Amino acid sequence: MANDAPVNSARGARLPPVRGKYWWVRWAVLAVAVVVLAVEATLVWDQLAKAWLDLLSANLWWVLAAVVAAMASMHSFAQIQRTLLRSAGVTVRQWRSEAVFYAGNALSTTLPGGPVLSATFVYRQQRQWGASPVVASWQLVMSGALQVVGLALLGLGGAFMLGAKDNPFSLLFTLGGFVALLLLAQAVATRPELIDGIGVKVLRWVNSARGKPVDTGLRKWRETLTQLESVSLSRRALGEAFGWSLFNWIADVACLAFAAYATGGHPSLAGLTVAYAAARAVGSIPLMPGGLLVVEAVLVPGLVSSGMALPAAISAMLIYRLVSWIFISAIGWVVFFFMFRTEGALDPEAVVDELAAREMADLDTRRAPQDPADTALQGPLPPHDPAPESAADPEPGGDAHR
């Protein structure tokens, strides 16, 4: 217990967090977004009234289709996790994986600091399923990378489709880019050492520009590569995981399209895809939970540019957000309170302590002194000398105090 006292006292005496140099940027961006939305609402108040009427008269069948598409998108998240964990030898049941992602999505999109809590929650659940710390961390990193690549390809595909009428070869370049990126991701996943030199050069350039030591961040970069090397990901498993990642975005785009159809709008598919990709990219910036205000400010102009009237675009945005954010988050909170609220899975410090303990154990193992007897040159042992024993044992009948 005495050894734990300094750690506990250090935690109790933890200093309050120091605000960064640019702490005001987040609030400035939020203030600008609020002002812009307020001005837009004032200028188009009559259009908002029409949008409300369109929302009340929306086609319920299309709304139901949007709900199904949103749930299909959540299903793909679970499939990505199961595919990656299965490649590492960890088997997870489908219902369990989907329950974790519904709950994790609710944490991520409705709470301040939600992405950190969600990652902590998913990590702890994977550890309970039998994944090692390295495998659990690797799954989070790999699934995030696949999501980023999928969204980028979706946005590029929509952009090239917009110019396909004038240049049909743009679609061929898009398909070629898809294949090239997929092969590159598979090569990096199987042989991470291929990008070690590139990463080291980039870190040196960044550190030089920031005036920091050249080896800053190098250890973390090598740890990430070690995580990638610890799991053998076949080309088939990577293709399956990437397919589910791309399907996740396609299903979410379908949810937005169904929401537009529910209001009577007929946007172009390419314009809808570009508007969705832009809104999702901006919404990933952790300014507000769920990208509140930011997603709406980007999505409505994008829908208008895709061919929808402003009232219909506002109604479509409201239906999409109600289904893909509010409805899905509500399901996630129900799942969390019925399945996970007593498991204590939301403590980021516990995860940090576990990773730190594992790192210290590895460091102690590398620094442990070797027994000299294990490495010394050993020859034949000298003969046994009975003289000390005979001197120590007096003869029977002799005077021991002589």
Side-chain angles (χ1 to χ4, degrees), residues 60 66 70 79 116 139 159 179 199 206 208-209 231 239 245 283 287 317 331 337 343 384 388 390 401:
L60 295 181
Q79 289 297 102
V116 176
Q139 192 278 327
V179 175
V206 172
S208 176
V231 181
S245 174
L287 296 175
M317 178 271 297
I331 295 177
F337 279 110
E343 296 186 10
H384 180 67
S390 60
H401 301 282

Side-chain angles (χ1 to χ4, degrees), residues 107-192:
L107 296 170
S108 177
T109 59
T110 59
L111 295 178
V116 176
L117 294 176
S118 177
T120 301
F121 170 74
V122 175
Y123 176 88
R124 295 293 297 275
Q125 296 304 313
Q126 291 179 153
R127 293 286 288 118
Q128 292 181 9
W129 296 338
S132 65
V134 171
V135 170
S137 302
W138 170 84
Q139 192 278 327
L140 292 174
V141 172
M142 196 66 184
S143 61
L146 290 175
Q147 291 293 307
V148 171
V149 173
L151 181 60
L153 292 181
L154 190 68
L156 289 175
F160 280 117
M161 287 173 62
L162 286 175
K165 294 181 180 179
D166 301 329
N167 185 13
F169 291 100
S170 62
L171 293 178
L172 297 178
F173 287 117
T174 303
L175 293 177
F178 286 178
V179 175
L181 285 177
L182 186 60
L183 294 178
L184 178 62
Q186 198 272 339
V188 171
T190 54
R191 297 184 60 190

Side-chain angles (χ1 to χ4, degrees), residues 57 104 110 136 157 173 185 188 220 226 240 246 259 300 303 338 365 385:
S57 59
T110 59
F173 287 117
V188 171
K220 188 64 178 178
T226 302
E240 182 180 354
L246 198 58
V300 172
L303 292 176
F338 276 93
T365 301
D385 186 7

